[in-house]
Every structure is written in structure tokens, then in C-alpha cells.
Amino acid sequence: QVQLDESGGGLVQPGGSLRLSCAASGIIFIFCNMGWYRQAPGKQRELVAAITRGGSTNYADFVKGRFAISRDNAKNTVYLQLNSLKPEDTAVYYCQCRRAGTTQEYWGQGTQVTVSS
């Protein structure tokens, strides 16, 4: 019922940019605190950025101003702008909805970001 559909991943050169999108359906989007996570092969999934229902943002330390999370509630979509990409950013990026006031989590299938020359 709840579906998070990520898109926008791909292969880019170091220093390049991508814009990831996550479209939510089957849920009232404004109830979701949204997050982007990533997981590289052999590593654990880690938080990249998060945005609350009200638009407050939080970023992992490794972002250092390179990434920006945003949401468009009218479109039921959360975005992650990836700039100045580095090879170590290579991972599958996952979209998450966490229902406010609950422990319920919903995950997308992920979109692959590969940074390589």
C-alpha cells in the first residue's frame, strides 16, 4: 500500500551532481518525517539527510554543505540534491518515511549512485 519510488540515480564523474527524487503514495505525506540513507557494498546503511514534516533538516557530518534535502508536500515528493560528488559517495540511496509520533518506517527500493571517472 505504502510505496516510496526513488529515481534520479546514475553514473557521474567526481565533482558532478545528481538530483534524487522520492515520490510517496499510499500515505498522507505530511505525516512523514523523511530521510535519505545510503548503503555501500559491505557497509551498513547510514543516514545522509533528514527533513521533518515542518521542513527542519539534519545532515550527516560527511555532507559538509554538498547535499541538500527538500520536500514538496504538494507533490508528495522529497528530493536530495547531490553536489560535488566523490567516489566515496557511491552507494544505493534509500528514501525513508517515518510516521510522526510512531515507530513505523517505510522504505523505498533504492536508487544507485555511482561516482567514478
Side-chain angles (χ1 to χ4, degrees):
Q1 293 181 356
V2 177
Q3 183 173 334
L4 302 176
D5 186 13
E6 300 106 327
S7 62
L11 174 63
V12 297
Q13 294 184 350
S17 297
L18 288 171
R19 182 178 173 87
L20 308 183
S21 299
C22 173
S25 61
I27 194 169
I28 301 176
F29 185 67
I30 58 172
F31 288 177
C32 290
N33 294 311
M34 301 297 300
W36 285 98
Y37 292 72
R38 70 185 188 186
Q39 187 168 23
K43 296 185 177 180
Q44 294 193 354
R45 191 171 299 187
E46 62 182 348
L47 175 70
V48 178
I51 186 167
T52 68
R53 296 177 300 150
S56 298
T57 59
N58 183 54
Y59 296 94
D61 289 341
F62 61 76
V63 170
K64 293 187 177 180
R66 298 183 298 125
F67 303 165
I69 189 171
S70 61
R71 66 191 294 162
D72 187 339
N73 291 334
K75 294 181 171 60
N76 292 348
T77 301
V78 64
Y79 304 95
L80 184 66
Q81 179 68 43
L82 307 173
N83 298 319
S84 302
L85 284 164
K86 305 174 181 179
E88 52 262 43
D89 295 320
T90 296
V92 178
Y93 284 71
Y94 297 92
C95 176
Q96 180 209 52
C97 163
R98 181 150 54 91
R99 290 283 305 274
T102 77
T103 59
Q104 294 179 339
E105 296 180 355
Y106 305 97
W107 293 89
Q109 292 296 109
T111 184
Q112 177 71 48
V113 172
T114 302
V115 185
S116 177
S117 60

